[in-house]
Amino acid sequence: MIKDAVNTETVEVNPVDQVRSTIYQLLSSLFAKEIDHKTLHDLTSDQAKQFWAQLGSEAEFKADVDVLVAELATLNTDRALLELAADYCGLFLVGTKHSASPYASLYLTDKPAKKGDEPLLFGEQHQQMTQFLKQSQLQVQSEFPEPADHLAVILAYVAHRCTHSTAAEQHDFIKANLANWLGNFVAKVTEVDTGNFYQALTRLTYAWVKSDAEWLESENH
């Protein structure tokens, strides 16, 4: 999703921050592209089952984790995978009134959209995220041709910051660039999605981000 633009030194990582980074990276990957056979295998492996069980042991995540695990268990045919891929495409790729485009700029704009207006992509939020990436000596992978304010990019960037920034810096970034629009994104996905998987994924992402922001705030005191 994002990669080092230059070689950087290896840093010693707190195990808690490593787990947090892994969760953000997983959520990022699920918004970055459709689930294929390899991803499905990774998400249903024994190690993944332990991960889901641990995440679902938290009451605020349990309902959505249960839905995701149940939905993953139904993806046992090519047809089922194709149908979920169609859900992903319809929600996140086509950019119509029946979709929920995953770009921060579409949920942070102060201007009400006029009829016929095209959503502004590669705008201010994209430029801001690009600058954040440059400051951290990172860049969006070339095979991901999306604006930098795509949810997957922001989540991947937070995953990086989990192991490279102070709790205060992480908290401020999440509040200013993620927590402030995810609620509206969840509402849009809930409104237009006819399936269960991406609704649960979006709710889980929002719940995780809110919980993590609260934990980071407590770490500051």
Side-chain angles (χ1 to χ4, degrees):
M1 175 53 47
I2 60 177
K3 61 182 179 180
D4 288 340
V6 298
N7 289 329
T8 53
E9 293 181 17
T10 303
V11 293
E12 194 169 324
V13 177
N14 178 310
V16 173
D17 290 333
Q18 186 59 65
V19 171
R20 293 176 52 241
S21 178
T22 299
I23 292 172
Y24 277 109
Q25 195 62 56
L26 170 67
L27 295 171
S28 168
S29 69
L30 292 174
F31 284 109
K33 65 185 182 74
E34 306 94 323
I35 291 178
D36 56 19
H37 285 286
K38 181 186 181 306
T39 308
L40 179 62
H41 179 268
D42 292 342
L43 292 171
T44 54
S45 67
D46 289 342
Q47 186 178 359
K49 286 174 184 173
Q50 291 176 4
F51 167 82
W52 291 122
Q54 188 173 358
L55 191 59
S57 67
E58 299 287 336
E60 63 211 291
F61 308 139
K62 183 179 185 337
D64 293 319
V65 168
D66 286 350
V67 171
L68 291 176
V69 170
E71 288 293 310
L72 288 170
T74 68
L75 301 178
N76 48 14
T77 64
D78 287 344
R79 181 183 178 86
L81 268 179
L82 282 171
E83 287 175 352
L84 186 63
D87 286 349
Y88 177 92
C89 180
L91 280 170
F92 304 134
L93 295 182
V94 294
T96 69
K97 65 180 181 179
H98 300 297
S99 65
S101 297
Y103 307 106
S105 55
L106 301 185
Y107 302 90
L108 291 173
T109 179
D110 294 328
K111 296 178 182 175
K114 295 176 185 173
K115 192 172 182 181
D117 273 3
E118 287 293 319
L120 179 63
L121 300 181
F122 296 99
E124 182 183 347
Q125 296 299 323
H126 161 74
Q127 301 295 344
Q128 190 178 49
M129 267 307 300
T130 300
Q131 195 58 37
F132 281 131
L133 292 169
K134 282 181 181 174
Q135 287 169 1
S136 298
Q137 298 180 315
L138 301 168
Q139 61 191 36
V140 179
Q141 291 177 351
S142 57
E143 62 268 26
F144 188 75
E146 296 285 349
D149 66 330
H150 189 289
L151 177 56
V153 176
I154 300 175
L155 290 169
Y157 182 61
V158 176
H160 169 81
R161 294 199 67 159
C162 284
T163 56
H164 291 79
S165 304
T166 66
E169 289 168 340
Q170 293 173 54
H171 175 267
D172 290 349
F173 179 86
I174 289 169
K175 282 290 190 184
N177 298 279
L178 200 50
N180 57 340
W181 64 275
L182 269 182
N184 291 335
F185 177 62
V186 171
K188 186 63 177 175
V189 171
T190 303
E191 175 192 336
V192 299
D193 187 20
T194 56
N196 294 318
F197 184 86
Y198 287 106
Q199 283 193 54
L201 174 63
T202 308
R203 288 193 304 264
L204 176 63
T205 301
Y206 188 35
W208 165 256
V209 167
K210 286 193 295 182
S211 175
D212 194 47
E214 289 169 5
W215 180 80
L216 286 167
E217 192 167 19
S218 72
E219 288 292 289
N220 290 331
H221 299 298

